[in-house]
Amino acid sequence: MNLKHALSISIGLISIMAMNGQNTQEQETAKSIKEIKEKFNTDVPENILTPSVVETRIGTLKFFDGLPSKETVTKVYDNLDFIRGVETFLNGIPATSIEGLRLGFRSAGSDNFNKVAIFDDLLDSNPFFLTGNTSTVYALSILNLNEDGPMVVEVPAGTGPGTVDDAFFRFVIDMGGPGPDRGKGGKYLILPPDYKGETPEGYFVATSPSYVNLLVLRGFLVDGKTDASKKMFREGLKIYPLKDKDKQPAMEFINVSTKEFNTIHANNYDFYHELNEVIQREPIGLLDPELRGLFASVGIEKGQPFNPDDRMKGILTDAVAVGNATARAILFKSRDKEAAIFKTGHWEAGFMGGNYEWLKNDGNGGRYLDARTRYFYGATVNTPAMVLKMVGLGSQYAYAMLDSEGNYLDGNKNYTLNIPANAPAKEFWSIVMYDPQTRSMLQTDQEFPSISSQRTPLVKNEDGSITIYVGPKNNAPKGKEANWLQSKAGKGFFVAFRLYGPLEPWFDQTWIPGDFELQK
């Protein structure tokens, strides 16, 4: 008997045994239901009855006349707590992501509204920062409306895309180019959720549902340099409480370029403590009762100490591990058809479903939970300007996690990527490489693991297209060395393709970037 024949027989026997086991279980269930029905005066529908023994994915569940046994009660409650622990992780990521940013920038010296963290020399791969870009000058500050009251942000003219997000990473207001000042500069007033005073004139006004808010401003490069944006922010950006408008505190700009610090939420049990910190600090109205109820079911409730016993701590430790794995599957290997941007290829949407409020099918499908988890596990900043069709304004994003054959991008291999001629970006386009572990920039020998049409001396092909070469060593042909992005042997990677000021060919898909192709 050959091996192939033996394997066929073995597989056949296993299948028969499984079918026999299923048949036996069905027979026992039918017998149990029959015995239960005999104890009623009327004919009871079978679909409302519970057999004495039920086989499930969490094991055997036993009942006496529908009453769960002691062992079953323990088993299902452990499972319920586990499920809610997983769901708390998946749904709590937006809140802990803001908290991670707050803690990270505080550790870098930006511990007050007027101490702005600025990337004078661009964001490099030293800090852990979810899918940041290397092509704009970031200026960031954390506002605390509970401590300081209504806050004024004076945005200088020339500011690029800017946004304020609340403590659950929900959009509050845009500033700069896509904001109501349209890049001409202006005064913005951010009101706390419980504000009852008068609203003065002369401001672009927004009310935040939370006390803590993230302010993110971007400045464009001029001639490939950061000088103009650094000067713009340092001379023109003002942040102060409304009550101090006549005696504004001095601004301080902390250059965090090349610094090492972490802004990413925990992926272990510490996650629940980070979430609890947010829930305790923010007003009760930050979240709806359903979400508050989910978090409370694992012990995270406003006004109450979070101190789970050993049993619950063990369950939550397991739950966060499964939750983390689930988030990684949702991000890196989506099963959702809406993840794809184009009809062909493997480029995927940053905002799956195309809605910054994470509403599915214009709200008919409710909250698009996997889309929200997917975005915030991999990225930061939430604004309509990154989603809506705003020709020549805002920005658009696409991810590539897979090569043309549908396999994860591998740092050991060499790839080519074709960017067709006339990329539809009014400002510029860029490609940045990221590490799948940290979802931050890939750390290689290149200071900036990126290519930008604005500052990289790219060499074009005869037809105007650009071929990008990716590999652990420079795999570009002679004369095109500048077109190389370095991967790292032994590590995976993924990339984000950005267009600032996207043009019509991007939206009507008459222009499509190529896939990552294994270099022959």
Side-chain angles (χ1 to χ4, degrees):
M1 181 184 299
N2 60 35
L3 179 60
K4 182 177 181 180
H5 186 56
L7 285 172
S8 297
I9 293 175
S10 298
I11 293 171
L13 288 173
I14 292 172
S15 298
I16 292 171
M17 292 171 64
M19 290 176 61
N20 288 338
Q22 182 178 353
N23 291 336
T24 300
Q25 181 180 336
E26 290 176 352
Q27 291 171 1
E28 291 177 352
T29 297
K31 180 180 178 183
S32 176
I33 291 294
K34 182 180 178 182
E35 291 174 350
I36 292 170
K37 286 170 66 70
E38 290 174 350
K39 298 175 182 177
F40 287 88
N41 294 333
T42 57
D43 187 24
V44 183
E46 292 185 10
N47 62 5
I48 71 169
L49 298 174
T50 299
S52 300
V53 177
V54 180
E55 298 296 337
T56 73
R57 66 189 305 155
I58 65 171
T60 301
L61 307 179
K62 297 182 179 181
F63 304 85
F64 168 72
D65 199 23
L67 302 171
S69 69
K70 181 179 179 181
E71 294 78 10
T72 294
V73 168
T74 298
K75 189 175 295 185
V76 296
Y77 275 136
D78 284 351
N79 184 61
L80 182 60
D81 290 338
F82 170 77
I83 290 171
R84 287 176 173 166
V86 172
E87 287 294 328
T88 292
F89 179 84
L90 296 177
N91 288 285
I93 289 172
T96 58
S97 191
I98 285 282
E99 180 66 3
L101 285 160
R102 186 186 73 85
L103 295 173
F105 285 113
R106 187 176 70 177
S107 73
S110 177
D111 56 3
N112 204 3
F113 61 84
N114 63 322
K115 295 182 179 180
V116 175
I118 186 170
F119 288 89
D120 277 340
D121 306 298
L122 302 178
L123 171 63
D124 59 22
S125 62
N126 282 305
F128 298 116
F129 191 101
L130 292 177
T131 53
N133 77 66
T134 63
S135 301
T136 60
V137 176
Y138 283 111
L140 305 102
S141 178
I142 299 293
L143 312 180
N144 191 323
L145 308 178
N146 190 38
E147 293 181 356
D148 302 308
M151 293 295 296
V152 177
V153 180
E154 293 188 17
V155 176
T159 298
T163 303
V164 173
D165 285 331
D166 78 357
F168 198 67
F169 245 130
R170 290 171 300 206
F171 171 71
V172 176
I173 194 170
D174 273 335
M175 299 176 174
D181 70 280
R182 285 296 186 261
K184 296 179 180 179
K187 294 182 180 181
Y188 288 79
L189 179 60
I190 313 301
L191 301 175
D194 49 4
Y195 183 69
K196 293 181 173 61
E198 294 184 1
T199 302
E201 296 182 354
Y203 299 90
F204 299 113
V205 181
T207 299
S208 172
S210 67
Y211 296 134
V212 165
N213 288 260
L214 171 68
L215 167 66
V216 180
L217 302 175
R218 300 178 185 87
F220 290 130
L221 304 184
V222 177
D223 297 326
K225 298 179 181 179
T226 64
D227 297 350
S229 286
K230 289 191 297 185
K231 185 174 187 293
M232 173 186 69
F233 285 134
R234 289 176 182 275
E235 294 182 359
L237 176 60
K238 309 293 181 185
I239 306 172
Y240 52 88
L242 179 63
K243 60 183 173 60
D244 296 335
K245 62 184 177 64
D246 296 325
K247 52 180 189 305
Q248 301 170 20
M251 295 295 296
E252 183 177 343
F253 292 86
I254 302 166
N255 182 14
V256 293
S257 289
T258 74
K259 283 194 174 185
E260 298 180 12
F261 57 99
N262 174 48
T263 68
I264 302 174
H265 64 78
N267 285 327
N268 61 11
Y269 178 76
D270 293 342
F271 174 92
Y272 299 106
H273 285 285
E274 293 174 350
L275 180 60
N276 182 63
E277 181 69 24
V278 177
I279 296 303
Q280 300 305 329
R281 181 181 60 238
E282 296 297 337
I284 195 73
L286 174 70
L287 303 173
D288 62 53
E290 291 284 337
L291 210 49
R292 293 204 309 272
L294 171 64
F295 297 162
S297 71
V298 299
I300 299 173
E301 181 179 351
K302 187 172 179 62
Q304 301 298 322
F306 176 60
N307 188 28
D309 58 21
D310 290 344
R311 167 193 165 274
M312 193 64 182
K313 186 174 181 180
I315 288 173
L316 291 179
T317 300
D318 192 26
V320 74
V322 173
N324 177 57
T326 305
R328 288 178 176 274
I330 290 171
L331 174 60
F332 294 121
K333 202 73 171 179
S334 176
R335 65 180 182 178
D336 200 313
K337 292 180 180 178
E338 291 197 41
I341 294 181
F342 309 111
K343 293 179 181 178
T344 59
H346 292 84
W347 286 99
E348 298 186 1
F351 281 78
M352 191 168 69
N355 189 289
Y356 73 94
E357 294 179 295
W358 318 110
L359 298 177
K360 189 176 179 68
N361 297 329
D362 296 323
N364 292 331
R367 195 77 65 191
Y368 204 167
L369 299 179
D370 285 357
R372 184 175 66 186
T373 294
R374 184 176 195 264
Y375 181 80
F376 288 113
Y377 192 75
T380 60
V381 187
N382 180 20
T383 163
M386 294 165 64
V387 186
L388 301 179
K389 181 178 179 179
M390 301 174 68
V391 177
L393 295 172
S395 52
Q396 288 286 309
Y397 300 76
Y399 287 138
M401 286 84 163
L402 311 173
D403 65 19
S404 62
E405 298 177 1
N407 299 313
Y408 287 132
L409 296 172
D410 185 343
N412 295 296
K413 298 176 180 179
N414 291 324
Y415 299 93
T416 60
L417 172 66
N418 182 257
I419 305 298
N422 303 314
K426 179 182 177 182
E427 303 292 345
F428 66 92
W429 60 265
S430 72
I431 293 175
V432 185
M433 301 177 74
Y434 297 103
D435 188 311
Q437 276 283 2
T438 63
R439 290 93 70 210
S440 304
M441 288 184 200
L442 187 69
Q443 296 182 343
T444 66
D445 296 332
Q446 291 179 323
E447 180 184 10
F448 300 112
S450 64
I451 278 177
S452 166
S453 65
Q454 192 177 43
R455 60 178 177 79
T456 307
L458 296 167
V459 181
K460 295 182 179 180
N461 301 319
E462 289 184 4
D463 63 356
S465 68
I466 296 171
T467 301
I468 307 299
Y469 299 87
V470 183
K473 295 182 179 179
N474 200 325
N475 57 322
K478 187 176 181 179
K480 293 188 176 182
E481 290 85 356
N483 293 20
W484 171 59
L485 277 172
Q486 185 180 19
S487 60
K488 194 164 189 175
K491 287 193 66 60
F493 69 93
F494 68 103
V495 307
F497 180 71
R498 291 175 168 87
L499 298 98
Y500 284 90
L503 302 175
E504 187 63 40
W506 174 261
F507 296 105
D508 66 20
Q509 300 192 6
T510 55
W511 186 95
I512 299 175
D515 266 349
F516 280 83
E517 303 282 353
L518 282 171
Q519 192 174 25
K520 306 301 183 186

